[in-house]
Amino acid sequence: MRAAEEESVSTPPDSLVLYSISYQPTEENKDKAFAYLQKNPQAMMIDQTPCGQKLIALGMLEDTLPKEQITEVWRVASRRLIASAEGNITAFVDNADKRSVFRGEELPGLLKNPKVKTINGMDKFVFAARFKD
């Protein structure tokens, strides 16, 4: 948890990429995000930050701890990532479930972050309106 709370999560302006696959039948959004990273080398996900790299090295993508604990570690890191984001965010979040980290943590954080103006090139509040349910 210390790594999630303390390691750097900063990304350059206009470079942050997010995806949501929680509670979905496929990993299509993740696949699209990784394909985008391949074509856009300036883009970054949390995995590429010092924090994400440390969490991965500590086994936070595996079943090293109960799933709830691993999820909470990533939620802490994600909250910090979103708070430090700037510019346009690229999000692969089609059909994001309301229980997902994106809907529960990241989207509300992006809406509160004054340094984030757009998501996928559109006003962040217009983008968020599609998730009202």
Side-chain angles (χ1 to χ4, degrees):
M1 184 62 84
R2 188 177 329 185
E5 294 171 338
E6 297 174 2
E7 294 288 333
S8 173
V9 291
S10 65
T11 58
D14 303 315
S15 69
L16 181 59
V17 175
L18 304 172
Y19 67 86
S20 181
I21 58 169
S22 302
Y23 309 101
Q24 293 197 15
T26 71
E27 293 194 349
E28 184 177 348
N29 286 332
K30 181 179 180 180
D31 295 341
K32 288 179 180 178
F34 278 91
Y36 180 85
L37 288 175
Q38 290 284 335
K39 294 178 182 170
N40 298 277
Q42 79 288 354
M44 291 181 70
M45 289 193 294
I46 192 170
D47 308 29
Q48 297 162 294
T49 67
C51 179
Q53 292 174 347
K54 179 79 170 199
L55 293 178
I56 291 167
L58 290 169
M60 293 295 122
L61 290 182
E62 304 161 13
D63 294 332
T64 54
L65 296 170
K67 184 174 175 82
E68 301 80 31
Q69 287 180 333
I70 292 172
T71 299
E72 184 56 27
V73 167
W74 282 105
R75 280 185 189 272
V76 168
S78 180
R79 275 193 291 269
R80 294 181 53 240
L81 174 77
I82 296 305
S84 70
E86 294 183 46
N88 180 61
I89 306 304
T90 302
F92 296 90
V93 294
D94 290 342
N95 303 311
D97 190 278
K98 61 185 172 184
R99 299 168 290 175
S100 69
V101 172
F102 176 76
R103 294 274 304 273
E105 299 285 334
E106 294 172 343
L107 184 58
L110 292 169
L111 296 176
K112 291 177 188 171
N113 181 340
K115 296 176 286 182
V116 171
K117 304 296 182 194
T118 58
I119 301 172
N120 292 350
M122 70 175 69
D123 178 87
K124 66 183 178 182
F125 295 102
V126 172
F127 179 88
R130 69 187 227 187
F131 293 103
K132 303 284 187 208
D133 56 12

